[in-house]
Amino acid sequence: MSAATINGNERLRAAMVAANVTIEGLADHLGIDPKSVDRWLNTDRTPHARNAEAAAKYLRADAYHLWPRLGERHRSMPTAQDEVVACYPMRSTVPYGLWRSTLAGAATVIDLAVSNLLFLADAVWDLPTLLADKASAGVRVRLVTPEEPAGPVTGLGDVFPSLLTVSGLRLATHPGLRADVLRADDDLLVTTPIDGLTPALAPVLHLRRLGPAPMTGGYLATLDHLFATATPARPVSHLRAVAA
């Protein structure tokens, strides 16, 4: 019998105490049986990669610190399928609160590549305040929108004028933006465009980065490319006139 079996997982126990999270609370967040969490605590049981990464994120800890043997398990190496949390056939089937709760849970990074700002304004009603609060808390916040919005009232200054004056936010435009990608730390909500189909009817993927990011890596690289080649946003003249 190993020492881990006798003493349990003290690293996990300490992380749960520090985060004020109970066995039932962690199990509920992960959508699993509390008995599984109890086994993680009181034996040397190592969870599957997806559960380990999700639990560590919730506890603000490192999965490989909590479970040093995580990398030794063959099936702990994530595949592209492991990174798919959920798939929704169209935007209206995504749980309404998921858009905001994903952003609200960010601790280090928020990236928004949004082709349809009116949708975002409806999905996250207090977006300017939420992003301002996150930026002031030290979260890196970046938002890129189309260079030439389709429609008369879809530009950043039209939909979110107050964002133009918030410090700590990087706002930009890009001529090649098509998909809607919302990233908050390791979670991504991606609207996948389909030719001939309006974005509202396109499928939405909820992805969570694991390990070497076999699925999410492409989207993360795309976000970095968009912001590297984007043009910084500037307040439009009519907004200045109104403010005066």
Side-chain angles (χ1 to χ4, degrees):
M1 183 178 294
S2 68
T5 303
I6 298 173
N7 300 321
N9 190 332
E10 293 304 324
R11 293 182 178 183
L12 176 59
R13 193 183 310 278
M16 291 175 65
V17 170
N20 195 28
V21 173
T22 64
I23 290 176
E24 291 75 15
L26 182 57
D28 182 65
H29 176 76
L30 299 175
I32 62 175
D33 193 312
K35 292 180 180 178
S36 296
V37 178
D38 185 76
R39 284 192 289 268
W40 300 347
L41 274 173
N42 298 305
T43 73
D44 60 351
R45 182 73 62 88
T46 298
H48 295 294
R50 171 185 276 178
N51 284 335
E53 294 283 357
K57 179 183 178 182
Y58 188 57
L59 299 173
R60 300 292 175 85
D62 180 82
Y64 289 88
H65 172 76
L66 299 180
W67 294 283
R69 294 173 54 192
L70 184 62
E72 299 174 10
R73 295 183 48 175
H74 173 70
R75 58 181 174 178
S76 72
M77 299 303 293
T79 65
Q81 291 84 352
D82 291 329
E83 293 189 290
V84 180
V85 178
C87 180
Y88 304 97
M90 64 186 68
R91 188 179 287 160
S92 62
T93 61
V94 178
Y96 184 75
L98 183 61
W99 305 98
R100 189 187 187 283
S101 64
T102 300
L103 292 178
T108 56
V109 176
I110 288 177
D111 283 337
L112 297 170
V114 185
S115 62
N116 188 332
L117 284 166
L118 291 177
F119 143 71
L120 189 62
D122 179 63
V124 187
W125 57 272
D126 62 340
L127 184 74
T129 300
L130 191 154
L131 294 186
D133 289 345
K134 288 295 181 180
S136 66
V139 177
R140 187 197 73 185
V141 181
R142 304 186 297 183
L143 191 156
V144 61
T145 59
E147 190 171 272
E148 296 182 2
V153 191
T154 53
L156 185 63
D158 297 302
V159 183
F160 296 114
S162 62
L163 283 179
L164 297 171
T165 61
V166 175
S167 61
L169 272 64
R170 180 179 175 188
L171 308 176
T173 61
H174 198 285
L177 184 60
R178 292 188 63 217
D180 291 327
V181 181
L182 181 155
R183 177 200 179 185
D185 294 343
D186 292 329
D187 279 87
L188 289 82
L189 294 173
V190 180
T191 301
T192 55
I194 298 176
D195 289 338
L197 199 64
T198 63
L201 299 178
V204 177
L205 298 176
H206 181 186
L207 307 176
R208 179 167 297 135
R209 181 176 64 175
L210 298 176
M215 178 75 170
T216 60
Y219 291 107
L220 297 176
T222 295
L223 286 170
D224 286 338
H225 171 74
L226 282 173
F227 286 106
T229 56
T231 302
R234 293 286 186 272
V236 293
S237 58
H238 78 270
L239 287 177
R240 289 195 295 269
V242 170

